[in-house]
Amino acid sequence: MLELTTSVRDWVEAAKRRDLSTQIALYADRLGSFYGRRDLSREDVRAEKLRAFGDGEVLVDTGSLEIRLEASGQMAIVRFSKRYAVDDDGRAGRGEVEQELRWEHTDAGWRIVDENDAPTSSRLRGG
């Protein structure tokens, strides 16, 4: 669990620093889902993040992390509230979403295999 927690915190800190290279390195080669899209490569995710936010995304706060390790110990779901502000070439916005990352343990360590927003009323149960 410590390795997973470290990987999650590395992802969050990379997002806060806008360090896309470090953040993308924590994704699997292929993702099952990414904000409604299916079967994307890690490079597809990189391109989508660049297209959507460019250099303007600012991740303000992540709130507390909820981590649920599945019984096999090979998959985990991580949820947290993400407050953000975006100011990129005249596009400005701010908001809060509940982020959900599904992680899988691989030979290379924990990697993200799905990334989506989750309904804010859908909190994790159990542990």
Side-chain angles (χ1 to χ4, degrees), residues 1 67-70 125-127:
M1 185 73 136
I67 300 174
R68 184 180 72 198
L69 190 62
E70 294 184 358
R125 307 273 188 257

Side-chain angles (χ1 to χ4, degrees), residues 11 13 19 27 38 48 53 69 81 91 98 102 115 123:
W11 184 89
E13 290 305 313
D19 180 352
Y27 288 82
R38 300 270 182 227
E48 182 62 24
F53 300 110
L69 190 62
S81 293
R91 289 185 314 151
E98 186 164 308
R102 180 175 290 272
E115 178 178 344
R123 305 299 290 181

Side-chain angles (χ1 to χ4, degrees), residues 1 4-5 8 65-69 76-79 124 126-127:
M1 185 73 136
L4 172 60
T5 302
V8 171
L65 299 171
E66 294 181 47
I67 300 174
R68 184 180 72 198
L69 190 62
I77 296 173
V78 176
R79 284 193 184 164
L124 288 177

Side-chain angles (χ1 to χ4, degrees), residues 1 3-4 68-77 102-113:
M1 185 73 136
E3 181 186 1
L4 172 60
R68 184 180 72 198
L69 190 62
E70 294 184 358
S72 69
Q74 298 301 302
M75 298 289 290
I77 296 173
R102 180 175 290 272
W103 294 74
E104 180 176 15
H105 191 262
T106 70
D107 290 340
W110 286 94
R111 296 293 181 259
I112 298 168
V113 295

Side-chain angles (χ1 to χ4, degrees), residues 24 29-31 34 37-51:
I24 290 296
D29 291 337
R30 297 210 66 82
L31 277 74
F34 183 79
R37 295 177 59 199
R38 300 270 182 227
D39 192 32
L40 282 84
S41 71
R42 181 185 314 164
E43 290 309 310
D44 291 336
V45 171
R46 174 192 293 273
E48 182 62 24
K49 285 180 176 274
L50 284 171
R51 184 198 65 74

Side-chain angles (χ1 to χ4, degrees), residues 9-25 46 49-50 52-60 62 84-89 91:
R9 295 214 182 271
D10 288 348
W11 184 89
V12 168
E13 290 305 313
K16 287 180 179 180
R17 291 189 316 268
R18 291 186 249 161
D19 180 352
L20 189 56
S21 294
T22 297
Q23 192 180 30
I24 290 296
R46 174 192 293 273
K49 285 180 176 274
L50 284 171
F53 300 110
D55 293 329
E57 181 179 21
V58 177
L59 184 60
V60 176
T62 56
Y84 63 90
V86 176
D87 184 6
D88 185 26
D89 293 334
R91 289 185 314 151

